[in-house]
Amino acid sequence: MNFETIYATYWQKIFRLCMGYVNDADAAKDLTQETFIKVWKQLPNFRNESSLGTWIFRIASNTCLRQIQKEKKMPKAELPVHIQEDFVAESIETDVQFLYQYISELQEVERIIISLELEDIDQKEIAKIVGLSESNVRVKIHRIKEKLKQKFKKNGC
């Protein structure tokens, strides 16, 4: 598979995965771009030890985790609430915005798992990506969904 086909096939999925981590469209685009730069550079070294999708999602997850670690080390300046509201993407539905917000509040491994589940990635593949057993992934998905449901109920969504 050539890079252009890989990019076209996986860009939206990787973008949504990144949104689950950062809950910011611009940051997610940057992380997606960074992921595909790494994929492009490492594609000749891909050894088919896992599926191509699993490999790309692992690169994306590691890229997002590294970014989160960098941000934890650097102090953030928050924008005033009224300015932040001006930048909210109008095309994303309110429920989807809340979903991304709630996902971004989860623990890192939970974010990876639920983001991959939302992309309809097979649970066996998710287990390979995160390094857990398939049964553990299944349990975690159930618990994460319950957490998200509770957050939606709590906030009246």
Side-chain angles (χ1 to χ4, degrees), residues 92-102 152 156-157:
I92 300 176
E93 298 174 27
T94 304
D95 287 345
V96 175
Q97 288 177 345
F98 281 123
L99 178 62
Y100 282 128
Q101 176 185 338
Y102 299 153
F152 271 100
C157 296

Side-chain angles (χ1 to χ4, degrees), residues 62-156:
N62 288 337
T63 301
C64 290
L65 289 173
R66 271 192 228 97
Q67 183 63 32
I68 290 167
Q69 289 171 347
K70 285 181 194 174
E71 288 176 4
K72 285 181 182 177
K73 292 179 183 176
M74 295 172 48
K76 285 187 188 175
E78 291 290 325
L79 291 174
V81 174
H82 67 280
I83 293 176
Q84 286 179 336
E85 290 172 0
D86 292 341
F87 291 111
V88 174
E90 297 297 327
S91 63
I92 300 176
E93 298 174 27
T94 304
D95 287 345
V96 175
Q97 288 177 345
F98 281 123
L99 178 62
Y100 282 128
Q101 176 185 338
Y102 299 153
I103 289 172
S104 72
E105 294 169 2
L106 295 170
Q107 295 175 352
E108 292 170 359
V109 172
E110 291 176 335
R111 277 185 258 169
I112 296 169
I113 291 171
I114 198 64
S115 295
L116 294 170
E117 174 72 9
L118 289 171
E119 289 301 324
D120 290 326
I121 304 300
D122 183 68
Q123 290 180 358
K124 188 175 184 179
E125 291 296 309
I126 295 173
K128 288 180 186 176
I129 291 168
V130 296
L132 297 172
S133 70
E134 193 174 342
S135 60
N136 196 343
V137 166
R138 219 176 353 268
V139 169
K140 285 190 177 289
I141 288 171
H142 176 73
R143 289 181 182 162
I144 294 166
K145 286 180 179 179
E146 286 301 314
K147 282 183 186 180
L148 293 174
K149 281 182 200 175
Q150 293 304 316
K151 286 186 181 240
F152 271 100
K153 284 181 185 177
K154 181 180 175 184
N155 292 309

